[in-house]
Amino acid sequence: QVQLVESGGGLVQPGGSLRLSCAASGRIFSISAMGWYRQAPGKERELVAAIASGGRTNYGDSVKGRFTISRDNAKNTVYLQMNSLKPEDTAVYYCNTEGTYYSGYYFHHWGQGTQVTVSS
């Protein structure tokens, strides 16, 4: 079983910044990808950013140039630095990770989500 602990959400004014963290723990042998998705009320869950074990990144079009994803492989932790936040960034942000256990089985887990609200 994989446990994901998310932190860093909250209320911020437009133009402000927040940093999200997500730490994975458990009998993890390797993590191939970690990422963040978000879901606003009445909308589908969408990709925010993802990062592979080798460092290759992928961003949603709406956040390119404003958000930066990074990871610490030694700590099985992924970060999302969010700058120049806009009201339309308001959503529940979910951490996502996939990899393999020491047993060799594949896993794909979602965090419980952290609320980000951008409002004046």
Side-chain angles (χ1 to χ4, degrees):
Q1 188 73 10
V2 173
Q3 294 79 43
L4 297 178
V5 178
E6 301 160 327
S7 62
L11 173 64
V12 64
Q13 293 186 342
S17 298
L18 282 175
R19 188 190 194 212
L20 304 183
S21 299
C22 174
S25 62
R27 297 188 58 79
I28 299 169
F29 174 71
S30 67
I31 294 179
S32 55
M34 301 186 82
W36 292 93
Y37 289 72
R38 68 186 181 187
Q39 188 167 18
K43 294 188 177 182
E44 293 186 353
R45 191 172 296 190
E46 64 175 358
L47 171 70
V48 177
I51 184 167
S53 58
R56 184 181 64 185
T57 58
N58 185 30
Y59 291 93
D61 288 340
S62 62
V63 306
K64 287 180 180 177
R66 299 188 296 122
F67 292 10
T68 302
I69 190 169
S70 60
R71 64 188 281 179
D72 184 333
N73 291 330
K75 296 181 178 179
N76 288 337
T77 299
V78 64
Y79 306 96
L80 184 68
Q81 178 66 43
M82 304 185 293
N83 298 329
S84 302
L85 283 160
K86 304 175 182 180
E88 50 263 43
D89 294 316
T90 296
V92 178
Y93 284 68
Y94 296 92
C95 179
N96 176 276
T97 184
E98 56 185 289
T100 55
Y101 295 112
Y102 280 106
S103 64
Y105 286 100
Y106 166 82
F107 66 82
H108 184 194
H109 279 275
W110 291 92
Q112 292 187 328
T114 184
Q115 177 70 45
V116 172
T117 302
V118 185
S119 175
S120 55

